[in-house]
Amino acid sequence: MTEQRETWSGRGGFILATIGSAVGLGSIWKFPYEVGANGGTAFVFFYIAGLIFIVVPLMFAEFAIGRRGRGDASASIEAVAAEHNRGRLWALAGILGVITGFLILSFYSVIGGWTIAYAVDTALNGLGAPDAAAAQARFDALLASPARLIVFHALFMLACGAVVMRGVGAGIEAASKLLMPVLIVLMILLAAYSAIEGDLKATLRFLFQFDVRHFTARSAIEALGLGFFSIGVGLSLMITYAAYAPPGVSLKEVAIVSAVADTAISFLAGFAVFPIVFSHGLDPASGAGLVFVTLPIAFADMPFGAIAAVAFFILLLVAALASAISMLELTVATLRRRLGWSRPRASIIAAGACFITGLASVFSFNIWSGWHPLAAVPGFAQATVFDLLDELTSNVMLPLGGFALAIFAGWALPPRILDQELSLSRTGALWLHRLLRYVVPAGIAAAALTPLFF
């Protein structure tokens, strides 16, 4: 087995780090929007079912492989495969996860830089008048400036690299113990502010309406896809994190607590954002436009709006950092084992390479905005480099990685591995093994292929 000396200090640090890896920018607006736009209660039902039968079983599998292998993603898979006389090619699933995480972080850091830019600019200059044209011009001016985007992209990557460089305990765990409480406190404060100043009743109707028309296969697939991608399984990240877990920590408990906590935080984000959205008649589906254009207009029209806006952008930054740190650790852990580099060296080189790769996304919004590499391909005629990276990682590489991990855990490994590493009963291990064999691969395939036909 691969030696792994660094460990989490205990259960609490491991849980906070795992939650931090799952909570990202999308959790602030995408999860609550998807719930409301797809039938409220019906969607929640399908989402929870997806967690139980798809997401948590795959999380269990990644945890078991990580604890058994005691190394980075590919090393753990390779070690466990060798233990059971399976081919070394299974390690490619872990390498795919590392590459996927690296590419996602390269453009995720650019968007994380936007949150820094808006937090600083709002703190120094306020929000100005509640004018739609001015708010759009402010956002467009940021995107049109390669120099500004590069500076804030660099600051975001520098923060990630500084945390990961310090190691598992003093870096990632310490940051998670700070960032997660800050995130939750900011969310609670913003939710209270939104409930007072915004339209809470409309938010409750949006999130918890019961519409039988949404009990459809389409809604079920969308809920499954959201759960799969929001928790972050498929990157092999949970393999790497589980390798740092002390022997006495219950992986089963960490997986369940993390999934429940991520869902609860996502709902709390809905109560922080959507009362303001509905009180001003804004479109809850406008994505980046909602966060960086329309919400600032709403804040500008509210008492203490500038203070609330600064808190909101700090909230976004905290969520982005917590998730980005885990993606950088994927690459750093791999470089340390394969090349024998020290953690500081691996962190600096990985963060630097990610920064350079992210420049392609930076230029997609300005000097390369008119370049569409796949202009001749139907459906991608207007796609920029940024759009293609997002499409490739989210809709191809991530589902493929999750599918490969499910096949490995369900078909290449015996149930007793799950029993031993997760402390399951024999019956529980058999049921989990069956889910990983049949249900999880089918669910991932359905979630990944459905957009191609609908």
Side-chain angles (χ1 to χ4, degrees), residues 208-418:
F208 299 110
Q209 62 182 320
F210 180 80
D211 190 341
V212 70
R213 293 174 299 177
H214 286 282
F215 272 94
T216 63
R218 171 71 179 183
S219 181
I221 293 299
E222 290 191 3
L224 169 61
L226 179 63
F228 180 77
F229 297 119
S230 69
I231 301 297
V233 291
L235 279 175
S236 299
L237 169 62
M238 301 304 173
I239 294 177
T240 303
Y241 269 27
Y244 301 139
V249 173
S250 170
L251 297 181
K252 176 176 62 177
E253 181 181 341
V254 172
I256 294 172
V257 170
S258 298
V260 172
D262 176 70
T263 303
I265 289 174
S266 296
F267 270 111
L268 184 59
F271 287 103
V273 173
F274 288 106
I276 297 174
V277 170
F278 292 123
S279 67
H280 288 76
L282 305 177
D283 179 10
S286 52
L290 169 69
V291 172
F292 295 103
V293 179
T294 54
L295 271 179
I297 299 172
F299 279 126
D301 196 35
M302 300 168 69
F304 307 104
I307 296 174
V310 171
F312 176 71
F313 290 119
I314 292 175
L315 168 67
L316 289 179
L317 174 60
V318 169
L321 276 175
S323 184
I325 287 167
S326 63
M327 286 186 278
L328 182 59
E329 175 62 18
L330 265 175
T331 301
V332 169
T334 302
L335 291 177
R336 292 183 66 205
R337 183 187 68 87
R338 291 192 171 272
L339 301 179
W341 289 352
S342 66
R343 177 171 282 277
R345 182 183 182 186
S347 300
I348 292 170
I349 292 177
C354 199
F355 167 76
I356 293 172
T357 305
L359 295 179
S361 294
V362 168
F363 298 146
S364 294
F365 297 104
N366 34 76
I367 60 178
W368 289 357
S369 60
W371 179 37
H372 308 293
L374 299 182
V377 179
F380 297 97
Q382 299 301 313
T384 63
V385 174
F386 173 86
D387 297 326
L388 293 176
L389 280 173
D390 186 18
E391 179 73 19
L392 174 65
T393 53
S394 298
N395 297 330
V396 178
M397 298 175 72
L398 192 56
L400 183 60
F403 186 87
L405 287 171
I407 295 297
F408 175 66
W411 292 91
L413 301 182
R416 62 182 173 82
I417 297 299
L418 303 174

Side-chain angles (χ1 to χ4, degrees), residues 133-161:
Q136 185 64 56
R138 180 191 186 193
F139 186 54
D140 292 341
L142 173 64
L143 298 188
S145 172
R148 290 181 67 194
L149 291 183
I150 289 172
V151 167
F152 290 114
H153 168 42
L155 289 174
F156 188 88
M157 280 308 309
L158 183 63
C160 291

Side-chain angles (χ1 to χ4, degrees), residues 169-196:
I172 300 173
E173 181 176 337
S176 299
K177 287 181 176 179
L178 172 65
L179 294 176
M180 287 300 96
V182 168
L183 182 142
I184 292 172
V185 169
L186 285 174
M187 276 192 179
I188 291 173
L189 291 176
L190 282 170
Y193 176 82
S194 297
I196 295 171

